[in-house]
Amino acid sequence: MSGHRLQDVLHRVREGRMSVEKAEAEIRGFEDLGFGKVDYAREKRTGYPEVIFGLGKTPDQVLAIFARLYEKHGRVMVTRAERETAERVQGDFPEAEYDPMSKLLTIGRTERRFAGTVAVLSAGTADLPVSEEAARTAEWMGNPVERIYDVGVAGIDRLLAHRERLQEASVVIVVAGMEGALASVVGGLVRRPVIAVPTSVGYGAHFAGLTPLLGMLTSCASGVTVVNIDNGFGAGYAASIIQQAILEG
Amino acid sequence: MSGHRLQDVLHRVREGRMSVEKAEAEIRGFEDLGFGKVDYAREKRTGYPEVIFGLGKTPDQVLAIFARLYEKHGRVMVTRAERETAERVQGDFPEAEYDPMSKLLTIGRTERRFAGTVAVLSAGTADLPVSEEAARTAEWMGNPVERIYDVGVAGIDRLLAHRERLQEASVVIVVAGMEGALASVVGGLVRRPVIAVPTSVGYGAHFAGLTPLLGMLTSCASGVTVVNIDNGFGAGYAASIIQQAILEG
Amino acid sequence: MSGHRLQDVLHRVREGRMSVEKAEAEIRGFEDLGFGKVDYAREKRTGYPEVIFGLGKTPDQVLAIFARLYEKHGRVMVTRAERETAERVQGDFPEAEYDPMSKLLTIGRTERRFAGTVAVLSAGTADLPVSEEAARTAEWMGNPVERIYDVGVAGIDRLLAHRERLQEASVVIVVAGMEGALASVVGGLVRRPVIAVPTSVGYGAHFAGLTPLLGMLTSCASGVTVVNIDNGFGAGYAASIIQQAILEG
Amino acid sequence: MSGHRLQDVLHRVREGRMSVEKAEAEIRGFEDLGFGKVDYAREKRTGYPEVIFGLGKTPDQVLAIFARLYEKHGRVMVTRAERETAERVQGDFPEAEYDPMSKLLTIGRTERRFAGTVAVLSAGTADLPVSEEAARTAEWMGNPVERIYDVGVAGIDRLLAHRERLQEASVVIVVAGMEGALASVVGGLVRRPVIAVPTSVGYGAHFAGLTPLLGMLTSCASGVTVVNIDNGFGAGYAASIIQQAILEG
Amino acid sequence: MSGHRLQDVLHRVREGRMSVEKAEAEIRGFEDLGFGKVDYAREKRTGYPEVIFGLGKTPDQVLAIFARLYEKHGRVMVTRAERETAERVQGDFPEAEYDPMSKLLTIGRTERRFAGTVAVLSAGTADLPVSEEAARTAEWMGNPVERIYDVGVAGIDRLLAHRERLQEASVVIVVAGMEGALASVVGGLVRRPVIAVPTSVGYGAHFAGLTPLLGMLTSCASGVTVVNIDNGFGAGYAASIIQQAILEG
Amino acid sequence: MSGHRLQDVLHRVREGRMSVEKAEAEIRGFEDLGFGKVDYAREKRTGYPEVIFGLGKTPDQVLAIFARLYEKHGRVMVTRAERETAERVQGDFPEAEYDPMSKLLTIGRTERRFAGTVAVLSAGTADLPVSEEAARTAEWMGNPVERIYDVGVAGIDRLLAHRERLQEASVVIVVAGMEGALASVVGGLVRRPVIAVPTSVGYGAHFAGLTPLLGMLTSCASGVTVVNIDNGFGAGYAASIIQQAILEG
Amino acid sequence: MSGHRLQDVLHRVREGRMSVEKAEAEIRGFEDLGFGKVDYAREKRTGYPEVIFGLGKTPDQVLAIFARLYEKHGRVMVTRAERETAERVQGDFPEAEYDPMSKLLTIGRTERRFAGTVAVLSAGTADLPVSEEAARTAEWMGNPVERIYDVGVAGIDRLLAHRERLQEASVVIVVAGMEGALASVVGGLVRRPVIAVPTSVGYGAHFAGLTPLLGMLTSCASGVTVVNIDNGFGAGYAASIIQQAILEG
Amino acid sequence: MSGHRLQDVLHRVREGRMSVEKAEAEIRGFEDLGFGKVDYAREKRTGYPEVIFGLGKTPDQVLAIFARLYEKHGRVMVTRAERETAERVQGDFPEAEYDPMSKLLTIGRTERRFAGTVAVLSAGTADLPVSEEAARTAEWMGNPVERIYDVGVAGIDRLLAHRERLQEASVVIVVAGMEGALASVVGGLVRRPVIAVPTSVGYGAHFAGLTPLLGMLTSCASGVTVVNIDNGFGAGYAASIIQQAILEG
C-alpha cells in the first residue's frame, strides 16, 4: 500500500468516514469475517479478484463474502453454487445471474476484452456442465469463447472438420471424460497452449475421472497441461492468465 | 477319446510299443511331469496346442515341457523366454528359433493359412517388443500380418495415411503405452474387431501400464476389447481365434 | 460421399426439397445439434449406426438425438436409459420398447440375421441386468442368443452340464461379478472368442467390479478379452462385430 | 509356570546349575537378546514353538535365535531364509536342512503325526516355491501332505481328475497366481476347510498378487479363507492348527 | 446318484407321482428357474445346503429359490436380506425368522450340534451387525456360540479378562473395524484356528474396510486366516466347516 | 485397585449399598452392557475418561454408555453424534450441549486449565466442522484455544500476519483440505509440536482427503505428525496429551 | 504442401537430385524408418520440430531418427538419453552436447529469442535433475531462464526473498517432490501462468511422485496447471508454447 | 537480526574480516550454494539447526552443506546417508560418526539434556534400522532414550512385562511394520504422547508400509499421531520438539 493511499485511509478513519474494521482490511489486504478472511489484495497480486469456491460453504457464508467482494470490486463469481445458495444471494442481489448447468453464480464482469479466442472443446454431450463452467469462467474474465462440443475421437472426422478454427484460437481447453483421448489428438494439431480437463463422466474402470486424468497427464502430445477432475473453472482461469500474459506482453 | 483310438493305445501297451506313462497321458489327455501337467487335449478343446508361458519356470522345466509338446504336436511356442532358457532349449533342439525382442521361442508353425490379415498397430517405437510378440504369435498361428508401427495420435495424419489398409484387415490389434488413445481413434475407424494391448512403456502417472489399460477399457469407441498390460501374446492368440471362427464359419 | 450422391443432395437443396442444415449433415456425415453432433457416417465406417449412451444426457437431449437417428436409420438403441428418459421418448415414439432391467430403449432392429449363436453366460442371478444388456444388444444387432445363466464356478457341474451348448456357439460372452472366475474356466473349454464382462455385483474387497476386472485381465486362459465393468452393451457390440466378420468373411 | 517348576528353576540357580539369564527367561517365558526377544512360551500358548521369520534379519541374528530355540525345543524352522543365512546356520548346525526353492531352513521336526492329510494344490508350475513352502511347513508340523500341482482352471479336466483325492483330504490349501480362480472351483467341490494363498506370479494387471488376493477374498464359494500373498508358511501353519483341533477334538 | 435312487425317481415319473422337471432336477443335482439354478447337490458336496445370497436379488427371486430349497431341505438361510425381502418371504412362510441387525432370514436349523464352541469377538459396538451375522450363521449351522463383544485393543485388559474363555473355544472368529489389531493379539493367545473378519466401520484412511483387511492379512500372528470385509456369514460358515472336520475326524 | 479401595467396595456390597454388577465393574475396571463394555479404568491409564465414538452406534446404545460414564465421571463427550442421537440423550440429560457443526455432544468439562494455548488453524472456510471438532475437544479437555481460520497458503500474507500468535502457542493444530500445504508452511515457522489434520473437503483428485493426508505425511517440514482424515477429535486429544505432559513435566 | 513446393520436389526426383524415399517423406510429411516414423510436419503444425523421447529406444534407433531430424531441421533434442545412447550419437555427431544430470542430448538450438523470462523454481536440491530438464528445454527452445533453486516452503522466507524476481517472469515452472506445496504458495503470489512439475523424490507415502502430483492438481491456488511426474521437458515445452503465443500475439 | 549484530557484521565486512557472501548469508538467514540454500535461521525459528536429508543428494552436495552447517553450529546430522557419502564427509571431518544401520552421519550433539525419557518400541527385529534412526536422532537432540525392542503384539506378554517402564516415559515412539497393531495397544496403555512410525518391513498385502500406515492412522486408541513410512528421524525430531515444549513450559 502506497504512502499516499495509507494517509487517505487514516484520514478517513480520523474523520469517522471509515470504520476501524474497514481500515484494517484496507491496510492488511484482507478482512476477517470470523469464519473466513476475504482476500482484497488478490487482484493486485494475481490480476483477478478472489473467486468464491462454493463447495462446503453455507449459503449465509457465501452471501457474506459475496457482499464484501461486490462492495470492493463491483464484480463477483461463485463456483459450484447450489440452487439454494444462488437463491439466497439473489435475494439480496437480484441482478446476480445463475446458470444451473455450470453452477456458476456471477455479478458484473471484467471490462477488459482480450483479442484472441479461447476454444473450449468437449468430447461428449455429458461433458457439458464442465465445459460450460470453463467457457463461462473465461467469458466472465474477458475472453471471447469458441465452443466446439461433442467432437470425441471415436468419430475423428468431426474433430478434423474443425481443424482450422482450432488453429486460430489463442488458448485451447479440452474437456473430456471416458478415456480423455481428445487431449492427445488436439495437442498434436495446434501450436497454442492446450489445457486439459478430465471429467467424472463415465463408469466402471473410469473411477470417477481418474482414468482420463492419468491419460491426460501421460499424453503422448507435448505441451498439454492438466487441471483437476471437473475443474472447468481452473481451466478457464488458467486460460485467462495466459491471455493476460499475451496482452501485457 | 474314441473307442477305436483307445483300443489302439491298449494294443500298443500290451505289445510293449508304448510305455504305461505315455498310455496314461494319451487316455487322460495330460501327462504328469511332477512339477507340471502337460495338456495334450488342449488342441482338441481350443484348436491350438498348449503354449508354454516362460515366466517363473526354470530352463529345465521349460525344456521338459517343450520336448513333450514337440513330440506330440511337432510345433511349440514359448512366450517370455529369457535368453538362458532359449539357449538351454536350442541345445537340444537346434532348429528352434529365438527372437530376443519379443522373447518368443518357437519351433514349427501351424500349417493352416488364414485368408484375412491381422493388422498390428503400435503407437510408438518403444512399444515394439509387445507389438512383435503380438505379430509373431499371429504369424505362428497362421495369420498374414500387416505391421503399421509408430502411428501415435499426437501426429494423427500418420494414422490417417493408413486408413485404407486398416479397413482391409480382418482383425486389428492396437498396441499402445502412454495414454493409449490410439485404441479409441482406431476403434472409430474400422468395422472389424479391435483388440487393444496396453504397454508398460511410460513413467510417472503411467503406473507401468495401468493408465493405458484403464483408458482402453473406458474407450469411447464401441467394440474395443482389451487384454492385460504387455500381453502381446494374448492379443495375437485372440485374433487367431477370431480368424478361426471366420474360417470355420 | 460419391459424386452421384452429392449431386443428388445439391439438386434437392436447389429445388427446396432439402434444408441447408440437412444437406450439410448429409455431406459432412454428422449434424450439429449445438449440445451434440449426430454421427450419420458411423454406419458406413463401422457397420452399425450410432448408439445413444444415455448416462449423463438429459431426456430432452436423448429425444433430440433419437429423433434424428430414427429419421435417418429407422432403428435406434439407447443404453443406460432411466425410466424418465424412456417415458419422454415413448411420448413421441410410442412404439419404442423399454426394458427396465437392462435399461435399454430400442426401436426397430437390424434386419440382418447371423447364422451362428452368441452364448451369454452369467455367474449369478445378480448379474442379470448386465447379462440382459449384453443379450438384448446382441439380439438387436442381429444375433440369435443362447442364455445360460447362474452357472458360477462354485458349483462347477452346473457349467459342465452345458459344455456342449457352449462349444456350439460362435462367440461366448461371460458376465460375472464376485471374483469373475467363470471367464477362465470357460476360456479353457471353447475354441471360439470369449468376451468377459466384469460386473459391479459384490461388496468389500470386490471394489465395485475392480476385482473381477483384474481377474479377467490376468486370466490363465488364453484368448479371453475384456470390456469395462458392467459394459454389457460393449460385449454385445463386440460379439456382433465378430459375427459380422464371420459373415462377411 | 507351576509352583513345582518354579522351585526347580530356583534350586538350579542357587546351586549354580542355571545362569540367572536362563532362569529369567524360563520364568518370564522369553529371553532378551537385545535386538530381539525369543518367545519360549509360544509353544505353551499356541501348540508350536516360535518360527523365525527370516526376512529383514541378518544371518547373525537368525543364528542367535536359532541356537536358543534349538537348545530349548530341539527343533527349529526359519522361513524366507536366503542362502547366505542358511550357510551361516549350517556352519554351526550341520544337520540343519535347507530347501532353496521354498527358502525353508529346518532342523528336527515335530514328533506328532496327524491322521488326516493336507492337500496342497497349485495352479501353475511357477507357483511351486510358495506351494513347497506350504507343503514343507505342514510336513514339519506333522502332517502327511498330498501334492496336486499344475491344475489351473484353464484345463478344468486336470483338476476334476483329482476330485476324489481332494475330497479325502482333511484340509485343502490352494496356491494360485494369475487370477486365482482355482480357489473358487475347489471351494465348491469339498466339505473340508479351504485355505487360499495368492501368489505374486503374474504381470501387468496382476499387481504382484493383488489380483488373486482380491479374487480369493470375494470368492463365490463359501468357506474359503485367505492368507497373505506368497504366504505359504501361513497356510501350512493354519492347516496344522486345524489338524491339531481335529486331533484334540 | 446311486442306481437305486435313480430307479426310484424314474418309477415315480412313470407313475405320475413326480413331474418331469422335478425328476430332472433330482438327477442333475440342480433345478433351472430361468433366472437362476437351485443347487440341490451342494449339501452332498459340501455338507450344507445352498445359502441364498440376498444382495442384488429381487424379493420375488429370493422367494422362488427359498421355496424350492425349503421343500427340498426343510431349512433355509438368506443373507443380506432387506426388510422388504423378508416380508415378501414371511408372507408365504410365516414361521421364517428375520433379524434386522444381521439381515439374516432363516427357517429351520441344522439338527446336528457340535461339541465345541465358536467364540465370536468384536472390537467395538459398531461391529455388532457383522458379529451377529457370524454368530447367528454359526448357530444356525449347529455351533454353540460364545459372544465376547467390545474388547478392542485400546483397552487391552478387557480382552485379557476373557483369556480363559478364549482358550477354551474350538474356533475363534475376530470381527474388527478401525485398524483391525484385535486379530493379531488374539492370534497370539490361542492354539485354535482364528478367522478374522474386517468390517467397514471407520472413516477416512479406513477406506471402507480396506485398512483392517490389509492389516489382518499381514498380521504378525501365525495361523490367522481372513475373509472378505463385512463377511460375517463367511466366517461363521468357515468355522462350521472346521467344526464338521473336528466332528467327523 | 488398592487394597483399601477394594475392601471399601466389598463392604458396600455386603451391606447392600452397592450392587454386585457395580462392584464387579469397579473391581475389573469396566462394566459389561452386553453390546459394549464401558471402560472405567481409562482415566487412570491415560488421564482422560473414555470418549464415546458416535459413528455406528444407535441412539439407545449411546444413551446407555453416556449415562454410565456420567454417573462415574461427571463429564462425558460424544463425537460424531447425529442430531437424533443428541436429542435422545438430551431427553434424559437436558443440560447436555450439542454443537451441530462439530457434531460434539458434551456434558461437564475437565476442571483442570492448562497454562499454554492450543492454536487451531484452518486453511479454508469449508474446513470449519473439523476445525471446530478439534477446538472444542481441546477446550473440553482444559485448553485455552486460539482459532486462526481461513489462512490457506494461496494467500500467504494472511498466514504471515499471524506469525507471532502462532509462535506463542504451546501446540499447533493445522486443519486443511485441498492439498494440505498449510501444514508444511506452519511446520517451518514454529518451535512447537504441529499436529496436522487432513480434511475430506475437495473433489476429483482429492479423493476424499487422501491427497492432503499423503501430503502432510510427506511434508518437507520436520516434526509434523498426522492424524486420520477429518479426525479433529484426535488432534484435539493429542494436543491435550502434550499439554498434560508439559503440565506434569 | 504448396503447389510450387510440390513441383520443385517432383522436378528434383525426375532429375535424380532427390531419392524417391525422400520425396515421399517430403510430400507426406513423415518418413517411415520401419521401426518408427519421423514426423517432419510437426514443426509446421506446432511450431517446433519433433523431439526424440529416449526412453525405451535403442541407441541405434535414436541415432537413426537423430540423423534424419538433423538433416531436415539443423537442430535436435533427445530427452531421457542414457549415457550409452549419448555416446553412440556423439560418435557420428561430435558437436552434440550431453548433460548427464538432465539426460538431455542436444545439437543446435532455436534461433528465436523470447523477450520474457521463464523462472524455474525447485523445492529441494534433490529436484535438480528435473529442474534442469525443464530449464535446459526452455533454453533450447529460445527462453531466457531464471533458476531459483531450493526454496521449499519449510523455510518460507527463502521463497519470499525472491518474490520480486518471481513476479517479473513471464511464465513460472515449479518443480517439487515431497508434498509439492511450493506450487500452491507460488500460485498465489504471481499473475503469470504457473506450470507445476511433481518429482519422484521422496519415500514412503510419497509413492514415487503420486503425492505431489495429487497435491498440485488439488492446489488451493487458481491457475496452476500440472504435467506428469518428473516431466521437466513437458513443463519447459509448455512454457515455450506460451511464450510463442505471447510473441505472436 | 538485532541492530547490534547487524553493525557487527557490517564492521567486519568493512574491515575485511568477513566476506561479502558470508555477510549476506548472515543477514538473510540463508546462504546460496547454487544447487541449494543453507538455512542458518532455522535454529532460531524451530529450536534446531537444519538437518541434511541425504536422499537424492550427491556426496559432494552433502559435504558442501555439512561444512557450512558445521562452521555455523558446531554440530550436524545427515539422515539417509549412504556409505559413499559418509566416507566422503569423513575424509574432511574424521570425527564425524557413521552408523550404517540407521544411516545417520553425525558430528557434535546438542548440549542440552532433557529430564524425561523417550521410549522407543519396536515390534520386530527387522524394524531395527528405523528404530535406531528414531533413537539416535532423539539422543543427538538431547533425549535420554529407553529402547524396548521386539515386543510385537503376537506375544502380548512381552509388551505387558514392560508396562511400567512405558508409563514412566515422557514421549513414546512406536516403530512397527507388518500390520502395525503395536501402536494401538500402546496408545491405550499410556498417558503420554505416542508417535507411531510404520515401516516398510513386510511383503505382499503390506505394500511397502502402506498397511501399517493406514492401520496407525485409523487406530482405535486416541491420541496416537503418525509420521511417514520409515521416518524414524521424523519421530525422533517430533519427540524432541515435545520435550522442548515440556522443558520450556
Side-chain angles (χ1 to χ4, degrees), chain A:
Chain A
M1 176 172 266
S2 68
H4 185 76
R5 175 86 187 108
L6 178 57
Q7 288 164 21
D8 179 55
V9 165
L10 295 174
H11 272 114
R12 287 205 277 168
V13 170
R14 171 137 49 140
E15 293 155 20
R17 285 183 296 135
M18 185 182 253
S19 71
V20 168
E21 289 71 24
K22 280 261 163 80
E24 188 194 349
E26 199 72 32
I27 294 168
R28 305 184 69 148
F30 61 86
E31 180 181 4
D32 200 331
L33 305 182
F35 62 84
K37 298 186 170 47
V38 186
D39 188 355
Y40 293 146
R42 188 164 304 191
E43 189 169 25
K44 204 180 138 209
R45 287 200 318 276
T46 68
Y48 288 101
E50 186 181 358
V51 168
I52 307 173
F53 179 55
L55 197 75
K57 293 199 179 71
T58 65
D60 282 347
Q61 291 174 337
V62 170
L63 176 58
I65 308 175
F66 191 99
R68 289 311 197 289
L69 286 171
Y70 185 65
E71 189 186 343
K72 177 78 186 175
H73 301 286
R75 66 189 197 277
V76 188
M77 181 158 76
V78 187
T79 64
R80 303 199 169 228
E82 294 305 320
R83 184 172 292 282
E84 190 195 352
T85 295
E87 286 169 357
R88 183 82 183 78
V89 170
Q90 287 173 324
D92 283 25
F93 296 84
E95 69 278 42
E97 287 171 32
Y98 181 60
D99 174 55
M101 178 165 272
S102 63
K103 296 197 173 169
L104 290 178
L105 174 70
T106 52
I107 194 167
R109 161 188 292 222
T110 195
E111 280 157 38
R112 181 172 54 180
R113 289 283 94 192
F114 296 117
T117 305
V118 172
V120 179
L121 280 77
S122 82
T125 298
D127 300 318
L128 241 72
V130 179
S131 305
E132 280 299 299
E133 194 190 38
R136 286 164 183 264
T137 295
E139 285 172 342
W140 188 79
M141 296 178 88
N143 298 279
V145 170
E146 172 105 44
R147 286 164 173 84
I148 307 178
Y149 286 175
D150 199 24
V151 288
V153 301
I156 194 78
D157 297 316
R158 292 182 298 184
L159 175 66
L160 297 177
H162 297 89
R163 200 167 180 159
E164 231 166 281
R165 281 161 71 200
L166 256 179
Q167 287 168 338
E168 283 163 6
S170 289
V171 186
V172 179
I173 293 173
V174 176
V175 179
M178 312 299 272
E179 86 290 60
L182 184 59
S184 297
V185 176
V186 170
L189 290 176
V190 301
R191 54 190 287 121
R192 287 294 172 253
V194 174
I195 300 166
V197 193
T199 74
S200 57
V201 171
Y203 65 94
H206 181 266
F207 297 117
L210 179 62
T211 292
L213 171 64
L214 297 177
M216 287 163 167
L217 285 164
T218 57
S219 169
C220 55
S222 304
V224 174
T225 61
V226 186
V227 296
N228 194 6
I229 299 164
D230 289 341
N231 191 5
F233 163 71
Y237 190 98
S240 302
I241 290 284
I242 293 172
Q243 292 271 62
Q244 183 170 276
I246 294 172
L247 184 71
E248 303 179 356

Side-chain angles (χ1 to χ4, degrees), chain B residues 141-172:
Chain B
M141 296 177 88
N143 296 278
V145 170
E146 172 104 46
R147 287 163 173 84
I148 307 178
Y149 286 174
D150 200 24
V151 287
V153 301
I156 194 79
D157 297 316
R158 292 182 298 184
L159 175 66
L160 297 177
H162 297 88
R163 201 166 180 161
E164 231 167 278
R165 281 162 70 199
L166 255 180
Q167 287 169 340
E168 282 163 6
S170 289
V171 187
V172 179

